[in-house]
Amino acid sequence: MIIFTEGKSFPIEFQTGDILFIAGRLPCDRSRKLPFEHVVLAAENRQISTANELLDLPVYGMPESQDSATNKVLLSNGWYWKNRSVIGVRLGSATTVWNLAARHPSITLQKAAYLSLLMSFQEGVLKFSYDTNFAVDHTLRKGIKTNCLGFVCSLLEYFKLNVLSRTFPEYESPYSNSPGRRTYPSPGHLAKALTYGTSHPYLAADEREAEWYATVVQTLEDLASQARDISAGD
Amino acid sequence: MFTERRHDQLHWAEAYEIIRWHSDLAENTSDEGSGSLFIVGQGSFSLLSKIPSLGDFPFRRIWTEYVGELLEGSHVQRCGYIKSGATTFVPLHDCWLELGQTHVGATLSPSLMPPSPEERTEVFETLISSLESITDVEVLDKWMNLIVDREFEDFSGGLPDSAAVAIFGRLLQLDEDTSAKWLDRFLSEADALPFRPGHFQISILGTVAQAASENVLSQIIVERLQGEITSMVASNLPKISEATTASAAVESVILLLQAEDSPEAALRILNHVAKLLDVITKEHDKKFFLQFLSDSLGHFIGAENLQKHWLKLLVLSKFLRKESVLWPESGIVSLLQAVFVEPAQTALAAVK
């Protein structure tokens, strides 16, 4: 497991396949909906010592919207996100920030080196395209429409790493750009599943748990709270 | 309004007015207004006019204002297209860039690049967004040159790799000579290019493999790749990088996908893979190569189209065995195991 909370835990050894989130910023304000959160996969093994270096780290993810017509995975980095406004929110602002990363325990250094090249191949051939809904294709061949979480889960499931249940108890979306009720997981559920070592595939016990952990920033809040408790205990 | 007869006398201001008019029309009605400059034919506009008085400034103005309106508008259904050369104005075609419910698009020649970084980036993003509708090889070639020569680097702080891969993929569909030229440069100058060395080449080869799977790969490119592999086999390197090994695997996949399914072709591919395995000396590296071969083949061949490549895969199953790769649960190995290896083992056991 890797924990990064706004630069407090450097240096970090990233490896390919590590999962990075653009998440809400602490303190977690549950009274307001977040504009969105985003999840991507690190594309290289690299030691990161500063926040700017973190923004340099190449990552693979779904194009962030239907405007991106390349219909393939997109190699970008944190600067790409920081420099643009999405649905009226400037990334890196007080609302959203790169602030949590996680690693599936099965992705060893050897597998990460392989995954790095396999994702490059996928960049040339993958026919996924963006959609707000969550879908998973463990074969990577079907050209499905899916969101950023669906892309990451598809890559993981290709290697038989089934982290999330495909369907969830119905809950209220925490995001203002895709409001309404949903029955599929959100990025926060991936963060929880990887960070707390819950059994996989993770399925929220009920609507309350599904809603509570839907945002990545909730897991970040829990981690920060644990750190404060440990610090107070000392 | 303006009609086709007047196009060769158009002044830039008139052209601008036409664009304005078209934009207004599209915003106010879904009627396509047959007979107007922009609505000739269904879905495809030909070269209609040359406007000698049009210079860089008006083009930029047109682009900035018109495309700006297109991108911000919500009801525009057609677009204009401004082509290479400062004096050629080419209303072109339906574009399909989706913005919610809207289908719009536009692009601009690199020779008319706007001065400000924001505008340049906007032009570039529009180009990438409407890539599938662009048929002008010259424009794509120019943009690729700008990216490769680092004359355009405004990727919003991001990386140029995905854009170059996308443009190359489109060139592969449009023009074999231009795509072969770029493939040659990408493979021969990996360290001098503004892309991640090794990784970018694998992405490009993936795009070529995709074209091979769709039967649109030219013989020029196939020969180029055969030469690449021959040279690798002949080089007898003491150590081959994982990126080179992976590239060799994808090149093998390309050769397999484009070959007919005959005993001769199957044996040719078998010998080709055997030679590569001879060059790769370490046992782990051999497994790495076969794993990448398995995964990249598995992207194109499944149970539903196995029949099309039956003989080639039957022969290759000599190498693609679960004990020969790193992770047999992924890629085509598991399919070959179920289709060829296990039935053969069962049959042999019954004979004994």
Side-chain angles (χ1 to χ4, degrees), chain B residues 233-290:
Chain B
V233 170
S235 63
N236 204 18
L237 296 171
K239 168 78 179 151
I240 298 172
S241 72
E242 288 183 333
T244 305
T245 305
S247 293
V250 183
E251 285 165 352
S252 305
V253 167
I254 295 165
L255 297 183
L256 184 147
L257 290 172
Q258 60 82 40
E260 76 277 23
D261 196 36
S262 67
E264 295 76 21
L267 283 173
R268 202 166 57 240
I269 290 160
L270 183 73
N271 288 334
H272 159 85
V273 172
K275 279 182 188 171
L276 284 171
L277 286 169
D278 279 345
V279 176
I280 302 167
T281 51
K282 289 186 178 173
E283 200 55 34
H284 171 269
D285 295 347
K286 286 183 198 289
K287 286 192 170 187
F288 190 99
F289 169 76
L290 289 171

Side-chain angles (χ1 to χ4, degrees), chain A residues 43-44 55-60 66-77 79-81 83-84 108 110-111 113-114 116-127 139-141 145 158-160, chain B residues 96-100 125 128-129 132 155-159 161-162 165-166 196 199 202-203 206-207 209-210 214 242-243 246 250 284 288 291-292 295-296 298-302 304-305 326-327 329-331:
Chain A
E44 282 182 11
L55 292 173
D56 285 335
L57 181 70
V59 295
Y60 275 115
Q66 289 161 330
D67 301 0
S68 298
T70 53
N71 285 343
K72 292 179 178 177
V73 293
L74 180 70
L75 182 70
S76 63
N77 59 27
W79 293 108
Y80 175 88
W81 287 95
N83 286 344
R84 66 183 54 214
T108 60
Q110 181 198 33
K111 202 160 199 169
Y114 181 81
S116 171
L117 296 169
L118 187 65
M119 285 201 294
S120 297
F121 171 73
Q122 294 294 347
E123 185 183 3
V125 300
L126 205 64
K127 292 291 186 186
T139 71
L140 302 178
R141 300 178 57 207
K145 286 177 175 288
Y158 181 78
F159 285 107
K160 305 289 186 270
Chain B
W96 55 272
L97 167 62
E98 288 188 8
L99 289 175
E125 288 179 354
I128 293 297
S129 298
E132 292 296 320
F155 300 98
S156 304
L159 300 163
D161 303 46
S162 293
V165 169
R196 295 194 306 155
H199 293 85
I202 293 169
S203 299
T207 309
Q210 184 68 44
E214 294 164 358
E242 288 183 333
V250 183
H284 171 269
F288 190 99
Q291 181 69 49
F292 217 92
D295 280 317
S296 41
H299 186 85
F300 301 107
I301 302 173
E304 75 285 356
N305 63 347
L326 297 168
W327 303 288
E329 68 277 9
S330 72

Side-chain angles (χ1 to χ4, degrees), chain B residues 304-321:
Chain B
E304 75 285 356
N305 63 347
L306 181 65
Q307 206 67 30
K308 189 179 168 190
H309 303 282
W310 186 265
L311 285 172
K312 292 177 284 185
L313 291 176
L314 176 61
V315 170
L316 257 194
S317 64
K318 174 184 177 183
F319 294 125
L320 290 171
R321 311 279 286 270

